[in-house]
Amino acid sequence: MSTPIRLAGIVRESIVDGPGIRLVVFVQGCPHHCEGCHNPESHDFSGGYDCEPERILEAIRKNPLLDGVTFSGGEPLCQARALLPLAQEIKKLGLNLFIYTGSVFETLLEQNDPDVIALLREGDFLVDGPYIQAQRDLTLLFRGSGNQRILDLPQSLAQGKGVLAPIGQ
């Protein structure tokens, strides 16, 4: 794990970015620029700061209360190669991995980017789809607009299409 990750920030304990208590890694840089985005300061790819994955892993190991880790942003899949070793270490610790993307799962499969697919294989859940302000719904669990889905990543990858997870639906 030596490639730095470009970060917007880290939240050490969150209960709104996936199930249970989570450490949230907010990556810097996003091509989607969704109107009404919750994290517009994370859009600029030259913003934020570089962080060694080992520092993030150290913070994860220090908190025995964590149920999992969330990759959010920005757009995590733009840094799939840099995030992959961290994701692998998270899985070795027995924690679940929740990933957000402004892309649609089936489109990601069509693009067939080996780094993105490798990162998705490490994940447990994926919230996919852009935030659409006209579909904003504050009653939805772990997502902001009605078009977004919470997918079971292992099942989705096995079936080659988005399979809804049994949480937050």
Side-chain angles (χ1 to χ4, degrees), residues 43-142:
H43 292 179
D44 182 359
F45 282 92
S46 64
Y49 60 97
D50 286 335
C51 182
E52 295 299 324
E54 292 83 0
R55 292 192 62 207
I56 301 168
L57 191 58
E58 183 180 321
I60 293 167
R61 286 186 175 131
K62 283 183 178 177
N63 189 342
L65 300 177
L66 291 178
D67 295 297
V69 175
T70 297
F71 292 166
S72 189
E75 173 56 70
L77 300 185
C78 287
Q79 296 189 57
R81 181 177 290 168
L83 288 168
L84 181 59
L86 177 60
Q88 292 167 335
E89 291 301 315
I90 289 165
K91 300 306 293 190
K92 286 179 188 174
L93 293 173
L95 298 172
N96 68 62
L97 180 59
F98 206 86
I99 303 170
Y100 283 84
T101 181
S103 298
V104 174
F105 177 75
E106 290 80 2
T107 302
L108 295 171
L109 291 181
E110 289 170 12
Q111 292 170 346
N112 200 27
D113 180 316
D115 294 325
V116 169
I117 299 300
L119 181 61
L120 294 178
R121 289 193 189 289
E122 297 299 325
D124 296 289
F125 304 101
L126 180 75
V127 173
D128 79 331
Y131 171 74
I132 299 175
Q133 194 165 14
Q135 294 184 36
R136 180 179 184 214
D137 186 343
L138 297 176
T139 67
L140 296 172
L141 195 60
F142 310 136

